[in-house]
Amino acid sequence: MFNPFDDFMFSFVPIMIVIGFVVVISMFIIGIFKGIKQWNYNNAQPVLNVDVEIASKRIDVSHHHHNNDGHAHHHSSTSYFITFQVESGDRIELEVPGNEYGLMTERDRGKLKFQGTRYLGFERLR
């Protein structure tokens, strides 16, 4: 017996799968281009050494859940950010390595070395 719903599903589902695939691949390609653009921007900026004070610190924890073959996999990643304030009062937030984040405290003063949005180091004043 002919069912028009069957025809609709056999034509609709493959189209939706293709659209989903195109969306996922497009998001992946856009992410790559954004990364390349940021990398080029940073490389075009001068390396600066400025006097700063650490204004604040924050941590961003991302949780990821995957389900492969019926087995749930969980992992998380942690990013560390420091907000530096220059003498004019302007602030810049940069991602820093975790091993350096733990050594910095708010109100520490020192020299910040950075290039665009790329953190290159912090030397605390003694």
Side-chain angles (χ1 to χ4, degrees):
M1 181 171 178
F2 174 73
N3 184 348
F5 182 73
D6 288 341
D7 279 347
F8 172 75
M9 290 306 290
F10 280 116
S11 62
F12 179 73
V13 170
I15 291 170
M16 291 308 296
I17 290 172
V18 168
I19 289 172
F21 180 74
V22 168
V23 167
V24 169
I25 295 299
S26 298
M27 288 174 34
F28 181 72
I29 291 171
I30 289 169
I32 289 173
F33 279 114
K34 281 184 175 182
I36 291 170
K37 182 181 175 185
Q38 186 68 50
W39 184 78
N40 283 332
Y41 168 80
N42 285 337
N43 286 341
Q45 300 303 307
V47 174
L48 300 175
N49 285 296
V50 294
D51 293 326
V52 296
E53 179 178 307
I54 295 177
S56 66
K57 299 170 63 170
R58 77 177 174 91
I59 297 174
D60 181 33
V61 179
S62 300
H63 299 282
H64 309 279
H65 306 280
H66 304 282
N67 192 359
N68 294 342
D69 302 327
H71 295 63
H73 301 281
H74 305 279
H75 69 275
S76 61
S77 60
T78 305
S79 299
Y80 303 92
F81 297 90
I82 301 284
T83 301
F84 299 95
Q85 182 170 318
V86 296
E87 293 173 342
S88 68
D90 292 333
R91 292 180 173 204
I92 181 171
E93 183 181 64
L94 299 173
E95 186 172 357
V96 301
N99 61 336
E100 292 187 40
Y101 178 89
L103 300 174
M104 298 180 195
T105 60
E106 290 183 16
R107 292 189 291 255
D108 276 352
R109 292 180 175 272
K111 287 274 191 190
L112 170 65
K113 184 177 182 180
F114 68 103
Q115 183 180 28
T117 61
R118 186 181 297 142
Y119 169 83
L120 299 175
F122 176 74
E123 185 179 325
R124 184 181 296 108
L125 293 179
R126 308 225 179 243

